[in-house]
Amino acid sequence: MRRLWGMGVGAGVLAGALLLGACGDPGSGGETRAAAPVPKRPGPADAGQSGADRPDARSPAPSSTSATRHRKAPKVLYLGDSLAMENQDVLGAQLKDGLGARYRSAPYSGTTLCDYLDGTGKDSLVPDRHKAAALVRAERPDYVVLQFWGNAWGYTPCMDGITYDKAREKYFDRYAADARALVGQINSAAGADRPRIVWVLQGPDPITPDRVRRVNGLYQAQARASNGLVADAGRAVAPASARYTWAEKLPCTAYETKNPAYCTEPGRGRTALHRGDDYLHFCLAPTTAKSRPCPVRSPGIRRMAAAITRAVADGSAS
């Protein structure tokens, strides 16, 4: 993620759509890329009550007592793009604290599904040692969590220049094919002991909301077709009554109200999910030249991590 947004939705959008600096490595070593300017938010500052304020989303994460329901603590592998890059430490802490999970993350900013496929070679932003199949063979995870925004511009080399603005149906067809191929490679690498794949649904896209809706639909279809799971993290950062309407700020959840560090405007009962100059990412710290896990408390990241943790907990309990 965090690269040029070639959405083709008008000169004003394109000029403001230089995405969101800091491509780089996942701590264990990747490429460091220069930061790009971040776009000004294009939408309203508030759009109603958050889906994360519903009773099933108020808890910080599944409690540690839930781990007693499992035969063993789950082992979780987390792969993805810049959203996963900024989420990875918070998710790891929630999985460990709530489920006693063993955890490995290897996200790379700017990536999409094809970057984690074997055979993409120099056209991939992910080195061979961190391809999904290689990590599955090395880690033997019980769950592989995949979080990808669905980069739709021409930056990701392995997409072969297929972009959403120039060839929408071809973009979706390719994205669905890559999802199937990635599942196949993960399963082949795992052998008989296949992991459950958790597809993370994305939050609202203020520029092309239908694109994210369709990408999420592809994830849901792939989960149904291959005994996967879905974590609707995007609902936790959307208004309760408008799943695909973008908002910079939403009402504080019960947890955020009790923990003021996560309720950025306690006097108004609202909290910031995005910085005012970055409508895509959820880290409230400025972007840097080198990608990193988010270094500050950020309500949006915490909400999404809790949704992913619940999906893993539900899968482990079933």
Side-chain angles (χ1 to χ4, degrees):
M1 230 168 271
R2 298 181 187 259
R3 281 289 177 178
L4 296 180
W5 189 308
M7 290 297 187
V9 288
V13 170
L14 187 59
L18 290 173
L19 270 182
L20 309 181
C23 284
D25 67 326
S28 55
E31 298 181 39
T32 301
R33 302 183 184 274
V38 293
K40 297 295 182 182
R41 59 179 176 85
D46 193 349
Q49 186 177 9
S50 168
D53 207 29
R54 290 197 279 276
D56 64 348
R58 289 177 182 171
S59 60
S63 69
S64 58
T65 57
S66 66
T68 61
R69 298 180 303 186
H70 314 317
R71 290 192 294 269
K72 63 176 183 177
K75 189 168 188 179
V76 180
L77 174 63
Y78 184 40
L79 308 177
D81 53 24
S82 59
L83 293 182
M85 173 67 75
E86 65 184 11
N87 290 355
Q88 61 183 312
D89 284 358
V90 175
L91 177 60
Q94 290 200 14
L95 287 167
K96 292 172 185 176
D97 292 346
L99 302 178
R102 297 164 294 163
Y103 176 73
R104 170 76 185 276
S105 61
Y108 280 80
S109 295
T111 57
T112 192
L113 296 173
C114 60
D115 285 292
Y116 282 88
L117 289 170
D118 286 338
T120 47
K122 64 182 178 62
D123 289 329
S124 172
L125 303 179
V126 175
D128 288 344
R129 70 185 185 279
H130 288 153
K131 298 293 190 183
L135 287 170
V136 166
R137 283 190 291 268
E139 300 293 330
R140 314 306 297 181
D142 301 300
Y143 296 89
V144 178
V145 179
L146 302 176
Q147 179 158 10
F148 293 92
W149 175 254
N151 281 352
W153 48 95
Y155 171 68
T156 309
C158 64
M159 283 293 288
D160 301 320
I162 300 171
T163 60
Y164 174 78
D165 62 317
K166 293 180 180 179
R168 294 188 179 186
E169 292 310 312
K170 190 174 183 181
Y171 163 80
F172 288 120
D173 289 346
R174 171 63 185 275
Y175 209 73
D178 287 343
R180 291 191 297 271
L182 192 57
V183 169
Q185 290 189 6
I186 289 171
N187 288 341
S188 294
D193 193 15
R194 294 180 175 180
R196 298 289 298 277
I197 297 175
V198 182
W199 296 92
V200 180
L201 304 189
Q202 302 306 295
D205 177 350
I207 304 299
T208 55
D210 287 339
R211 185 195 65 82
V212 156
R213 191 193 307 270
R214 289 189 63 178
V215 165
N216 284 347
L218 293 176
Y219 292 160
Q220 292 169 307
Q222 185 58 57
R224 289 191 298 269
S226 55
N227 193 35
L229 298 170
V230 168
D232 195 356
R235 183 176 295 277
V237 292
S241 60
R243 170 63 176 81
Y244 287 98
T245 298
W246 183 89
E248 181 188 352
K249 300 174 183 179
L250 288 175
C252 297
T253 64
Y255 177 88
E256 291 160 358
T257 300
K258 292 177 182 177
N259 295 269
Y262 290 97
C263 188
T264 62
E265 296 181 9
R268 303 179 65 186
R270 300 194 309 172
T271 198
L273 303 181
H274 303 274
R275 288 173 56 85
D277 57 0
D278 184 342
Y279 58 77
L280 175 55
H281 298 91
F282 294 88
C283 183
L284 298 185
T287 58
T288 57
K290 182 177 180 178
S291 283
R292 59 182 177 170
C294 186
V296 300
R297 290 185 179 91
S298 298
I301 288 176
R302 193 187 173 285
R303 292 180 183 206
M304 290 190 295
I308 296 169
T309 301
R310 281 193 297 273
V312 174
D314 291 345
S316 299
S318 60

